C-alpha cells in the first residue's frame, strides 16, 4: 500500500490500529569507588527525577497532539522513577501531511495531530556492576497510540532528551481497520525503517542495525555511539589523572559493556 502525502484513507468508522513505540536508552559511566558510584546514581536520580520525566512525556503528548487526562508519577528509594500519562484525543484542526511521511518529527512546539485514547509511560533503572567498575542508567519509554498518527513522530524529540550511548527502538502496528468497502488495512502508512524518523545529524553519530519483520509490521533498530572519548565516561575527574595503562584498561571495560548491551549477549 502506498499513500502519498496528499492522500487520506477513507475509513469505515474509527481507525482501530494500535501503534506502539518502545524507546530504550542507556548511559554508561565508569565509577571506580563506592563513593563515585553513589555520587553518579545521585546525579542520575536528580537529572531524571519524576518531575523532569513528566515534563518530557508532556512534551511528547504535545508533539503527537494528545490531551493529558491523568499523570501518575513516583520517585523510588533508593533510586529510580516512573511516570504514566493517560492521554486522549486532542483538538483536531487538520491532519498534517507529514503524518504519512517517513521523516523525523518536530521538537516541542505547537503541533496538533489526531490521536485517540492511549498512554505514555517511562521507567528508569540505575544499576551497577558488582565490582563497582561500571554503572549503567537505563530509561524505558513506551508510547502507545490509536488512530492515524504514528508515535514515531516523537522519536526526534526523545533522542534530544537523553544523553545516550546505546538506543534500542521497537515499533509495531497491531490490529486492523477497514476502508469504506470493508477491506482490512493492517497498516495505514508506509515504513521501511525506524531510522528514517531519526534526523541525519543524529544518525551520523551512531552505528545502527535494523531487524525488521515487514509482513508482521514489526520494526527494530538499535544504535551505538560511534565516537569514544574516555572523558565522557569518567565521573568527577578526567583521563589526565590516570596513567596510560589505566586509561586503556578502563576504555576496554567500557567498550565491552557497550558491545554487550548493543549485541544483547555477554562477551569475554
Amino acid at each position: 500500500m502506498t499513500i502519498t502525502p496528499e492522500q487520506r484513507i477513507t475509513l469505515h468508522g474509527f481507525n482501530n490500529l494500535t501503534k506502539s513505540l518502545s524507546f530504550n536508552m542507556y548511559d554508561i559511566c565508569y565509577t571506580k569507588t563506592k563513593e563515585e558510584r553513589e555520587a553518579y546514581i545521585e546525579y542520575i536520580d536528580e537529572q531524571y527525577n519524576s518531575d523532569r520525566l513528566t515534563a518530557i512525556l508532556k512534551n511528547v503528548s504535545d508533539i503527537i497532539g494528545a490531551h493529558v487526562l491523568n499523570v501518575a508519577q513516583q520517585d523510588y528509594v533508593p533510586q529510580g522513577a516512573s511516570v504514566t500519562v493517560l492521554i486522549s484525543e486532542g483538538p483536531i484542526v487538520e491532519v498534517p501531511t507529514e503524518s504519512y511521511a517517513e521523516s523525523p518529527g518536530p521538537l516541542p512546539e505547537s503541533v496538533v495531530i489526531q490521536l485517540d485514547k492511549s498512554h505514555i509511560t517511562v521507567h528508569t533503572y540505575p544499576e551497577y556492576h558488582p565490582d563497582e567498575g561500571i554503572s549503567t542508567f537505563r530509561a524505558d519509554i513506551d508510547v502507545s497510540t490509536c488512530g492515524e498518527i504514528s508515535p514515531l513522530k516523537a522519536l526526534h524529540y526523545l533522542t534530544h532528551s537523553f544523553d545516550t550511548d546505546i538506543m534500542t527502538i521497537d515499533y509495531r502496528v497491531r490490529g486492523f481497520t477497514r476502508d469504506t468497502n470493508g477491506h482490512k488495512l493492517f497498516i495505514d502508512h508506509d515504513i521501511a525503517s525506524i531510522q528514517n524518523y531519526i534526523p541525519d545529524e543524529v544518525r551520523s553519530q551512531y552505528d545502527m542495525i535494523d531487524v525488521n519483520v515487514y509482513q508482521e509490521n514489526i520494526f527494530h533498530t538499535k544504535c551505538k555511539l560511534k565516537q569514544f572519548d574516555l572523558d565522557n565516561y569518567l565521573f568527577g575527574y578526567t583521563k589526565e589523572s590516570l596513567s596510560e595503562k589505566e586509561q586503556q584498561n578502563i576504555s576496554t571495560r567500557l567498550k565491552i559493556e557497550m558491545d554487550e548491551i548493543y549485541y544483547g549477549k555477554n562477551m569475554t
Side-chain angles (χ1 to χ4, degrees):
M1 179 197 68
T2 300
I3 300 296
T4 68
E6 293 75 23
Q7 290 178 316
R8 290 184 60 188
I9 303 168
T10 303
L11 299 179
H12 172 69
F14 174 68
N15 188 328
N16 290 312
L17 292 171
T18 298
K19 302 165 186 175
S20 300
L21 170 69
S22 293
F23 174 82
N24 308 93
M25 60 74 61
Y26 298 84
D27 178 78
I28 300 163
C29 183
Y30 180 77
T31 49
K32 184 178 181 179
T33 66
K34 178 181 178 181
E35 290 73 25
E36 289 178 13
R37 185 189 75 215
E38 291 176 347
Y40 171 74
I41 291 178
E42 184 178 347
Y43 165 78
I44 286 295
D45 265 2
E46 181 180 345
Q47 284 292 105
Y48 298 106
N49 58 43
S50 62
D51 286 338
R52 186 186 176 204
L53 295 173
T54 298
I56 290 173
L57 295 197
K58 285 184 176 179
N59 280 333
V60 170
S61 299
D62 288 341
I63 287 170
I64 59 178
H67 174 67
V68 175
L69 293 177
N70 185 60
V71 177
Q73 63 183 74
Q74 180 67 50
D75 290 298
Y76 297 107
V77 176
Q79 67 262 340
S82 67
V83 179
T84 300
V85 178
L86 180 65
I87 53 180
S88 69
E89 181 179 81
I92 301 173
V93 177
E94 151 181 29
V95 178
T97 57
E98 66 264 25
S99 65
Y100 295 103
E102 279 189 278
S103 62
L107 295 176
E109 56 186 19
S110 178
V111 181
V112 180
I113 297 172
Q114 183 174 351
L115 186 82
D116 285 277
K117 294 180 180 65
S118 204
H119 65 274
I120 308 172
T121 64
V122 59
H123 303 279
T124 66
Y125 304 91
E127 66 91 49
Y128 58 90
H129 195 280
D131 71 5
E132 299 180 351
I134 301 289
S135 292
T136 304
F137 167 69
R138 183 177 107 240
D140 297 348
I141 295 181
D142 292 284
V143 185
S144 182
T145 69
C146 298
E148 296 180 0
I149 190 62
S150 168
L152 285 166
K153 289 299 180 180
L155 195 53
H156 183 189
Y157 168 64
L158 290 174
T159 61
H160 281 76
S161 300
F162 298 92
D163 295 323
T164 60
D165 298 308
I166 308 287
M167 295 185 292
T168 59
I169 308 163
D170 295 282
Y171 177 65
R172 183 176 183 183
V173 181
R174 294 174 293 172
F176 65 88
T177 190
R178 295 181 187 271
D179 64 18
T180 52
N181 295 318
H183 182 70
K184 292 186 182 70
L185 301 171
F186 295 94
I187 191 168
D188 62 354
H189 65 96
D190 293 321
I191 173 172
S193 170
I194 292 172
Q195 294 188 35
N196 294 332
Y197 292 85
I198 301 174
D200 290 340
E201 65 270 18
V202 176
R203 290 169 58 182
S204 65
Q205 299 173 26
Y206 290 87
D207 291 318
M208 294 188 172
I209 296 176
D210 275 3
V211 181
N212 300 325
V213 186
Y214 294 103
Q215 65 272 24
E216 298 295 335
N217 298 320
I218 298 174
F219 305 87
H220 174 77
T221 296
K222 51 188 178 183
C223 319
K224 182 179 73 170
L225 203 61
K226 290 180 180 178
Q227 293 188 345
F228 181 90
D229 183 347
L230 182 57
D231 278 339
N232 294 333
Y233 299 89
L234 301 175
F235 192 75
Y237 57 96
T238 63
K239 60 187 177 185
E240 280 70 28
S241 62
L242 302 171
S243 68
E244 186 174 335
K245 184 176 181 180
E246 286 176 316
Q247 292 183 37
Q248 184 177 11
N249 179 55
I250 294 171
S251 296
T252 299
R253 295 183 65 186
L254 286 165
K255 290 177 181 178
I256 290 174
E257 180 80 2
M258 292 172 69
D259 283 344
E260 288 183 340
I261 295 172
Y262 184 59
Y263 294 107
K265 62 181 180 180
N266 292 299
M267 298 180 177
T268 57

